[in-house]
Amino acid sequence: MATDDVMRFFALWMLTHETADEGLKAAVARGEDSGPAGMEGGPDAFVDGLAAMVAAEKDKLKAELAAGSVERPSADEQKLALEELRFEVAEMRGRMDALTGAVETVLAKLDASAPVKG
Amino acid sequence: MSARSRRITGVLAKHWVLGAFRSGLGLSPRRCTIFAREWRAAFAELGPAFIKLGQLISVRPDEFGRELVAEMTAMQDAVPALPAEAIRSVIFDEFGRTPEALFATFDDTPIASASIAQVHGATLRADVRPVWGAVMPAGTQVVVKVVRPGAADAILADMVEARRLVGRFGGLLRGFDAMKLIGEFDASVRRELDLRTEARIADRFAFDFREDPQIEIPRICWSFTTRRVVTMERVIGWRLTDLDEAARAGIDSKALAIYGATAFMRQVMVYGRYHADLHPANLFVTPRNTIAYLDFGIVGHLTKDERESIAQVLAGLAYRDADRALRYSRRLGVEVPPDKVDVVRRELGTLLDSMFDPGGSKEFRHFGLGFISLLRRHHIDIPSGYGLLVKSLATVEGCARGLYPDIDIIDTARPFVTRLLSDSFGKPERIEERLNAAIHAALRELVA
């Protein structure tokens, strides 16, 4: 009987998973049918839409894993990091321009105050 | 007491007496509005430091009553222009050269004159490469914003007087910490007196919106920028107060209103930096059907956690979920004492319900300022950042409604809120936090 109990436990475990899986699949299908605009229809519609978004992300992840590229930062992330760096360098150039202007100011003031040679 | 202290006290007392008289010794139901109008008149009379103080009050609904905030919002920062010679002498001090030596042309007639700075038109003598965006070729029209000579000294001297007066009479002011406000004001004005801060923020906004052709940020000419002078690209267009002319020129106001509100939501929810001093004078609509932001004097900053909490508060608003709005407001620093939680939650629920009633106001302003009034009524401290954000959102809504009266600001926030909430679902700490509740819910379903 003990063996029977364990079997029942696993059966229950399997049934729970199967039911949850079916529920999730139904939510994904509903979310895909109603599209992003459908998420505005209240909490249930939001969860359906979210399930569809997660499923789409899962497919993307699966494809990335198959291609062996999941560990590397995406091209978008790399581009973003490089653009941030480019901005920081450009900001430094702005500071340099301002400093150059300040040096020119000092020179102009020195020229103005220098005694006239005659 | 110095002569300036006596003048400040005298002007404030005069307008207080006028307010008391005009409100029938405080018996009129409109007394708050009447007094607010008198404070505005007093501030305008007292000059630059008080005009700036009025601007600070106008973005702080967390500290001041609705009527005073509305009056101070309407106060225009426009003062009589200084003669061009005074401005020319500042430019000479800063660069050691005359405006003619720096620029191809320089216009002595100012474009605008405010309490801290005066703005003149000019054109570039040679090409200028900005931090971000295309090179500005020689001949490009620019504006030269110059700190008014003496403005810094006058404002800082008034600040010293204000501290002295608050130290002496501050006890009479109930409901807010005047010394703390003066401290914030001091920091804000010192930032504004250094024009390089504004220039740096403008560059950052230009970078944030680099891929958005519908948003324009004036490019900065750093070679002609110092602490007291900033030179930037001149934006030609219409202020939000001149929209009739824009409409005649074929500008699509409705599309711009929706786009402008969305761009603001992006600032708040994605970049975590937002223009916190938006009013019709700081926003231009251009002939190219774009929106241009000007004047980055007051900017709000938000961390990623704060952005997520704001998204949750907005989600609470969208789903009439007072609990959620209150829980995440706490994360933003709104601490409701345990003995007041029930009553605040109940009143917040009523406020949310009123937004969904047929004929009820769907405006964010109604919720945001209503929530702040509710907290103030219960003497609950409101963090300054919260007040600044609520006021900014309400102002953006007001500006957008000026262009397109039916706009729903919450609707424009929805995609950003959804994205932020979706991002936060996957966080390990979030999963850990919700796992117990999820297991309990699952078990409840199983045994039901």
Side-chain angles (χ1 to χ4, degrees):
Chain A
M1 287 307 287
T3 308
D4 279 350
D5 281 346
V6 171
M7 292 306 283
R8 290 286 287 189
F9 173 78
F10 280 119
L12 180 62
W13 179 78
M14 196 180 279
L15 181 64
T16 307
H17 274 259
E18 201 177 281
T19 311
D21 193 41
E22 278 165 9
L24 182 65
K25 280 178 183 156
V28 170
R30 283 194 302 270
E32 283 171 349
D33 285 347
S34 52
M39 291 177 81
E40 296 170 14
D44 288 340
F46 179 84
V47 171
D48 290 346
L50 185 69
M53 282 166 70
V54 172
E57 191 64 31
K58 181 205 74 181
D59 289 340
K60 211 172 117 193
L61 181 67
K62 237 165 121 178
E64 282 174 4
L65 282 169
S69 63
V70 77
E71 289 300 319
R72 286 200 300 272
S74 68
D76 281 353
E77 284 168 335
Q78 283 178 358
K79 189 182 163 211
L80 200 68
L82 282 172
E83 291 225 312
E84 280 283 347
L85 184 64
R86 208 170 118 205
F87 175 69
E88 280 174 28
V89 172
E91 263 194 317
M92 279 194 271
R93 181 170 44 74
R95 304 283 178 285
M96 295 305 291
D97 286 348
L99 277 174
T100 309
V103 172
E104 280 171 14
T105 302
V106 174
L107 281 172
K109 286 186 174 175
L110 278 176
D111 282 349
S113 62
V116 182
K117 287 178 186 167
Chain B
M1 197 184 261
S2 70
R4 180 63 180 160
S5 280
R6 280 199 297 279
R7 173 154 166 74
I8 294 170
T9 316
V11 170
L12 293 176
K14 178 182 85 181
H15 285 279
W16 187 85
V17 171
L18 278 172
F21 175 72
R22 286 177 179 151
S23 65
L25 295 175
L27 295 172
S28 163
R30 292 181 57 247
R31 63 186 173 281
C32 290
T33 309
I34 293 166
F35 271 106
R37 201 165 292 157
E38 290 303 326
W39 292 134
R40 173 181 155 189
F43 279 26
E45 196 175 330
L46 285 168
F50 285 81
I51 292 173
K52 293 311 296 178
L53 181 60
Q55 282 184 323
L56 183 70
I57 290 172
S58 77
V59 293
R60 296 296 302 278
D62 50 303
E63 284 284 0
F64 301 95
R66 195 179 282 227
E67 297 81 2
L68 189 61
V69 167
E71 274 299 322
M72 293 301 176
T73 303
M75 183 159 67
Q76 296 292 316
D77 186 5
V79 299
L82 284 174
E85 275 318 307
I87 296 301
R88 284 172 164 276
S89 75
V90 176
I91 293 175
F92 193 82
D93 271 356
E94 293 295 298
F95 298 102
R97 284 159 287 173
T98 61
E100 282 71 21
L102 295 169
F103 303 105
T105 65
F106 181 83
D107 192 352
D108 275 342
T109 310
I111 297 167
S113 176
S115 50
I116 285 188
Q118 189 159 307
V119 181
H120 289 256
T123 50
L124 292 179
R125 183 176 280 283
D127 295 1
V128 168
R129 191 175 171 202
V131 162
W132 204 261
V135 168
M136 290 180 272
T140 300
Q141 290 190 57
V142 292
V143 292
V144 186
K145 186 172 174 182
V146 181
V147 172
R148 293 164 71 94
D153 291 343
I155 290 175
L156 297 177
D158 268 2
M159 210 100 70
V160 172
E161 296 297 345
R163 276 185 200 280
R164 198 174 296 158
L165 288 171
V166 167
R168 187 176 292 184
F169 303 113
L172 299 173
L173 301 167
R174 281 169 301 154
F176 75 97
D177 183 346
M179 202 52 103
K180 188 175 141 214
L181 182 78
I182 299 264
E184 282 179 28
F185 176 53
D186 189 285
S188 160
V189 164
R190 279 177 200 276
R191 257 197 318 272
E192 244 184 284
L193 285 169
D194 185 345
L195 296 178
R196 292 171 301 184
T197 309
E198 185 186 339
R200 276 195 281 271
I201 295 170
D203 279 344
R204 184 71 219 192
F205 269 69
F207 176 71
D208 286 345
F209 283 102
R210 64 194 177 282
E211 281 174 5
D212 190 334
Q214 275 193 275
I215 300 292
E216 290 189 39
I217 312 288
R219 288 167 288 178
I220 304 294
C221 307
W222 278 99
S223 319
F224 309 119
T225 295
T226 64
R227 178 184 288 270
R228 292 198 294 164
V229 178
V230 62
T231 305
M232 65 180 88
E233 177 185 14
R234 182 169 187 176
V235 176
I236 307 287
W238 301 275
R239 289 178 193 276
L240 290 193
T241 42
D242 308 325
L243 283 174
D244 287 348
E245 208 182 314
R248 280 196 292 277
I251 297 298
D252 183 354
S253 300
K254 181 180 165 183
L256 277 181
I258 295 170
Y259 203 82
T262 309
F264 184 77
M265 288 302 170
R266 216 179 327 150
Q267 291 171 41
V268 171
M269 302 291 189
V270 181
Y271 307 139
R273 278 177 292 277
Y274 62 95
H275 195 307
D277 189 24
L278 280 180
H279 51 76
N282 284 346
L283 263 181
F284 266 44
V285 172
T286 78
R288 295 172 295 285
N289 244 319
T290 62
I291 297 165
Y293 289 105
L294 302 177
D295 200 346
F296 297 89
I298 308 176
V299 172
H301 293 273
L302 295 163
T303 63
K304 183 87 197 299
D305 280 351
E306 286 169 333
R307 278 180 267 157
E308 278 173 18
S309 298
I310 289 162
Q312 292 282 8
V313 173
L314 289 175
L317 173 58
Y319 296 129
R320 288 167 86 161
D321 185 345
D323 251 342
R324 181 193 290 238
L326 211 54
R327 191 164 67 244
Y328 285 94
S329 290
R330 178 182 288 263
R331 290 198 179 180
L332 290 165
V334 177
E335 284 292 339
V336 181
D339 60 316
K340 288 181 179 170
V341 167
D342 284 343
V343 64
V344 168
R345 187 190 295 126
R346 200 166 49 244
E347 288 183 25
L348 181 58
T350 309
L351 179 67
L352 287 175
D353 289 347
S354 73
M355 293 183 74
F356 290 86
D357 284 346
S361 171
K362 295 268 191 299
E363 291 182 42
F364 173 80
R365 167 182 292 269
H366 174 74
F367 166 76
L369 299 184
F371 185 35
I372 279 184
S373 294
L374 189 166
L375 295 173
R376 279 168 53 85
R377 213 167 41 244
H378 289 286
H379 306 289
I380 293 162
D381 283 343
I382 308 162
S384 59
Y386 200 88
L388 191 67
L389 179 66
V390 167
K391 175 64 202 264
S392 299
L393 279 166
T395 306
V396 167
E397 182 181 59
C399 289
R401 276 178 179 253
L403 289 163
Y404 171 39
D406 291 334
I407 193 167
D408 183 342
I409 201 90
I410 303 298
D411 220 38
T412 62
R414 212 181 284 270
F416 300 102
V417 169
T418 307
R419 183 78 242 176
L420 264 173
L421 296 189
S422 312
D423 284 351
S424 71
F425 288 152
K427 280 184 167 178
E429 61 270 26
R430 167 89 183 154
I431 292 169
E432 195 183 340
E433 179 192 314
R434 305 301 297 166
L435 200 58
N436 267 343
I439 290 170
H440 278 118
L443 286 174
R444 265 205 309 277
E445 286 300 316
L446 276 173
V447 299

